Amino acid sequence: MATDAVAQLADSLAKTQVTEGELSYKGQGRKFDNAQSVEEMVKEIQEFKGLQALRLEGNTYGVEAAQAIAKALETKSEFKYCYWSDMFTGRLRSEIPPALNSLGAALMTAGARLTVLDLSDNAFGPDGVKGIEKLLKSTACHTLQELRLNNCGMGIGGGKILAAALTECYKQSSAQGTPLGLKVFIAGRNRLENDGATALAQAFQLMGSLEEVHVPQNGINHPGVTALATAMQHNPQLRVLNLNDNTFTKKGAIAMAQALKHLRSVQVINFGDCLVRSEGAIAIAEAITEGLPILKELNLSFGEITGEAALLVAQSVEGKATLEKLDLNGNCLGEEGCDALREVMDGLNMGDLLGSLSDDEGEPEEDDEDDEDEEEDDYEEEEDDDVEEEDSSVNEVSSPLSVPRPPDASSFLCFPSPDKLLKLGTKRALLFEQQVDVADAGKTAEAFLKISSVYNEEDKDVKSAVLDSIDAILRKAFASPSFQGYNFISSLLVMLGLLKSEDKVKPVRVVPGHLQALEYVVRQDYFPQDHIAVLEAFMSRHVQALESCSSARNILKSTLEQVRPEN
């Protein structure tokens, strides 16, 4: 859970690699109010030859004490490591900026070149960020590799100030031929929210050097997650991505999945408590299947993920020889779903890598979904009646001498019928290509269902027209590098009523033609094999939506088994 992630992060923050050239006052619990109280410390700093690291954490320093320490640092040109977390406990917030200003100014005066700046657990807010703004923009930080600002209460304002300072540092260092190469960024529990995260994302994208990003518990929703996802694509060496306890929802999860497809070095993904939901989990599973060859840990716990989606996540880690842990605890699998998940992992010889499922929330209630389906069916029937009335009223006002409007693709897609499809003529495939925006996976899925709804196995002309039209649209869609295939499949499942969506999407009434056309599509060379497992999992579900199409579903299931790629 989120508390575990925070504990892990705290452990990570406590780890250091500096053993030589270090002077430590760590964890002494002392209170230094003025220059006199730090006289001994100042003397030790002054006398320490080749000082590279100073640990001040676990004590509390007033402004005068900080200024005295700063004075002693002004001659330390070899200084690299600032371990200054938790050093203002009990201080007024107004005391912190001047204290930080004096310490930063000393490092600039010394001509230091920092590698690590750790100011975590200081709760200094936006004003504290202003206290290190000059330092971050200076040459002292052109060499910075790790910036740790966990639990500092920066807020949106502080996030924006920090982003601007990092951007300026990058630009100035680049102008000098040594661009800032920040590798580790830690800023959990800072209330960055969307605006703060978006501002930082722009800086991250500019730098392109990040290897670890930890921003858990920041109140970031899908706009901020999407911005971070875009930025991560430009950081090819990224190894650890921790966004625990933010709120992805489908949009954020799909954006992050798309980013993961561009990354090959990721070892740890922590999206626990992020509400990725089933649609997001499916997208992430496909990204893992396609890449992430050295993945070690995947945390998708407490994300409202259902059993079928969880199985796809499990299948996605097959062949990941470096995997050490898969965490799917706290989702909505139910007892049977948990058993099925364990069975799949055991079948992959990875049973010991699956984390505990003790906090599973159980399967989502079906009653509510059934009620919604019935309401949606009623709505569709009412809509059909309205359309018929509208058509008749249009006919009444039409002049007997008026020329009938020639059929077009948009008219068919609004109100599909076999007759309209045939009347589009031999250029129907081209008309659909021009009409359907295949860059939009959702609209492409909707068009597929509209066209396939008139499929008729016994009418060769209609059958041929349907398959030709679908071929034209999907071949064009899947040929586009930017087409989000997993989003197409997800939208298709939602519209068929097989997958619950956070969006208010009204499922269509499933007819055999939908499944018959899909059976044809999965056999075509343009259909990605990575999507086969997803469809197979959902077609195996016992759901009311498919009961009226049992024959077509069985044929589709059989075909999916035949075309399933060999492991």
Side-chain angles (χ1 to χ4, degrees):
M1 296 180 68
T3 51
D4 296 328
V6 173
Q8 291 172 4
L9 188 55
D11 291 340
S12 174
L13 290 169
K15 294 177 182 177
T16 63
Q17 297 179 348
V18 178
T19 55
E20 297 180 3
E22 177 183 293
L23 187 57
S24 177
Y25 300 94
K26 179 181 179 180
Q28 295 181 5
R30 298 172 64 185
K31 186 177 182 181
F32 301 103
D33 293 322
N34 49 42
Q36 185 177 358
S37 64
V38 291
E39 280 183 354
E40 183 181 344
M41 184 186 299
V42 167
K43 183 179 180 182
E44 289 179 345
I45 293 172
Q46 290 172 335
E47 294 178 351
F48 197 112
K49 302 299 181 181
L51 181 66
Q52 295 184 33
L54 178 62
R55 290 188 169 279
L56 298 176
E57 66 263 52
N59 302 291
T60 178
Y61 303 83
V63 176
E64 289 185 17
Q67 289 173 340
I69 295 170
K71 188 68 177 176
L73 288 172
E74 287 182 354
T75 60
K76 304 301 176 180
S77 60
E78 297 177 45
F79 196 78
K80 297 179 180 180
Y81 305 94
C82 303
Y83 295 109
W84 298 347
S85 63
D86 187 22
M87 56 181 283
F88 296 114
T89 301
R91 299 293 170 182
L92 296 174
R93 182 166 288 188
S94 59
E95 293 182 81
I96 300 176
L100 291 174
N101 263 318
S102 59
L103 290 167
L107 298 178
M108 289 185 275
T109 300
R113 293 292 184 269
L114 297 183
T115 299
V116 176
L117 177 58
D118 184 0
L119 289 166
S120 298
D121 300 315
N122 279 313
F124 48 48
D127 289 341
V129 184
K130 292 178 182 178
I132 59 171
E133 185 178 8
K134 289 181 180 179
L135 174 63
L136 288 172
K137 291 179 179 180
S138 74
T139 55
C141 285
H142 286 188
T143 52
L144 193 64
Q145 294 184 14
E146 298 184 18
L147 179 57
R148 306 179 181 213
L149 297 169
N150 200 56
N151 191 30
C152 286
M154 290 188 288
I156 295 173
K160 289 182 175 180
I161 295 169
L162 177 61
L166 290 173
T167 299
E168 183 65 22
C169 181
Y170 178 81
K171 289 180 178 178
Q172 289 188 14
S173 59
S174 297
Q176 295 181 17
T178 54
L180 171 65
L182 190 67
K183 294 181 179 179
V184 178
F185 180 85
I186 299 176
R189 301 177 67 183
N190 269 291
R191 305 193 313 274
L192 293 172
E193 301 182 19
N194 290 331
D195 289 348
T198 299
L200 285 167
Q202 293 171 350
F204 296 162
Q205 183 168 333
L206 192 64
M207 291 186 290
S209 56
L210 289 167
E211 296 180 7
E212 292 188 30
V213 175
H214 301 263
V215 284
Q217 295 186 21
N218 268 293
I220 306 171
N221 299 325
H222 74 81
V225 172
T226 300
L228 288 170
T230 301
M232 293 306 102
Q233 294 184 37
H234 297 269
N235 287 265
Q237 301 307 312
L238 188 70
R239 294 183 294 104
V240 179
L241 185 55
N242 176 7
L243 277 84
N244 188 284
D245 202 11
N246 290 292
T247 307
F248 282 34
T249 62
K250 181 186 75 172
K251 292 180 179 178
I254 288 177
M256 196 58 75
Q258 184 66 20
L260 291 174
K261 289 189 174 185
H262 294 266
L263 301 169
R264 303 286 297 174
S265 301
V266 173
Q267 297 178 16
V268 178
I269 297 173
N270 187 343
F271 297 161
D273 281 289
C274 283
L275 209 64
V276 299
R277 295 195 171 124
S278 296
E279 292 173 274
I282 291 171
I284 292 169
E286 290 204 6
I288 293 170
T289 300
E290 294 177 16
L292 305 183
I294 57 173
L295 184 66
K296 288 185 177 180
E297 295 182 21
L298 175 61
N299 183 349
L300 294 178
S301 61
F302 299 91
E304 293 190 3
I305 299 170
T306 57
E308 294 82 5
L311 291 179
L312 293 171
V313 172
Q315 290 167 0
S316 75
V317 301
E318 181 177 6
K320 307 295 181 187
T322 56
L323 190 73
E324 297 175 359
K325 184 176 182 181
L326 172 62
D327 190 349
L328 286 166
N329 197 20
N331 284 299
C332 306
L333 312 186
E335 186 175 346
E336 291 184 4
C338 289
D339 290 342
L341 180 61
R342 293 189 187 99
E343 185 178 339
V344 168
M345 291 298 287
D346 286 340
L348 299 175
N349 293 320
M350 292 180 162
D352 58 334
L353 306 184
L354 179 64
S356 169
L357 299 174
S358 60
D359 294 316
D360 187 73
E361 298 287 343
E363 291 185 76
E365 294 293 332
E366 292 285 346
D367 293 342
D368 294 339
E369 295 180 23
D370 292 342
D371 292 342
E372 288 174 7
D373 291 342
E374 289 174 9
E375 290 174 6
E376 287 153 5
D377 289 344
D378 293 341
Y379 177 86
E380 287 174 359
E381 288 172 7
E382 290 172 9
E383 192 177 58
D384 290 342
D385 292 340
D386 292 342
V387 168
E388 288 174 7
E389 292 174 8
E390 184 179 315
D391 286 347
S392 62
S393 65
V394 169
N395 289 335
E396 287 171 9
V397 299
S398 299
S399 167
L401 300 177
S402 62
V403 178
R405 182 181 177 185
D408 57 49
S410 61
S411 174
F412 170 84
L413 291 173
C414 287
F415 310 111
S417 74
D419 186 54
K420 283 183 181 179
L421 182 64
L422 293 177
K423 285 182 178 179
L424 290 175
T426 57
K427 293 185 178 180
R428 66 178 69 88
L430 178 61
L431 293 174
F432 282 123
E433 278 190 60
Q434 295 171 342
Q435 180 65 34
V436 179
D437 179 11
V438 295
D440 188 319
K443 290 180 180 178
T444 304
E446 184 178 4
F448 169 83
L449 292 176
K450 291 285 184 69
I451 297 170
S452 61
S453 69
V454 303
Y455 181 95
N456 187 339
E457 185 69 33
E458 297 180 359
D459 189 325
K460 292 183 179 180
D461 291 338
V462 173
K463 175 182 175 180
S464 177
V466 168
L467 298 183
D468 287 346
S469 301
I470 287 172
D471 255 343
I473 295 172
L474 295 188
R475 191 177 295 277
K476 179 181 178 181
F478 283 112
S480 171
S482 61
F483 185 67
Q484 297 182 343
Y486 54 82
N487 202 357
F488 168 79
I489 296 297
S490 177
S491 298
L492 203 61
L493 294 171
V494 168
M495 293 175 189
L496 289 171
L498 304 180
L499 179 63
K500 191 174 182 181
S501 173
E502 64 195 51
D503 301 325
K504 294 182 179 179
V505 177
K506 296 186 181 299
V508 301
R509 188 180 289 106
V510 183
V511 297
H514 291 141
L515 306 186
Q516 290 167 325
L518 191 55
E519 190 272 339
Y520 165 81
V521 167
V522 299
R523 290 188 278 111
Q524 305 311 303
D525 57 1
Y526 57 74
F527 190 81
Q529 289 192 324
D530 291 337
H531 300 329
I532 298 296
V534 179
L535 289 174
E536 191 174 3
F538 280 87
M539 285 301 144
S540 299
R541 292 183 65 189
H542 297 290
V543 292
Q544 186 176 357
L546 298 178
E547 286 182 0
S548 61
C549 309
S550 58
S551 178
R553 178 176 69 167
N554 289 337
I555 294 172
L556 174 57
K557 284 173 60 179
S558 177
T559 300
L560 288 169
E561 290 175 6
Q562 293 172 20
V563 300
R564 182 201 303 150
E566 293 296 330
N567 295 329

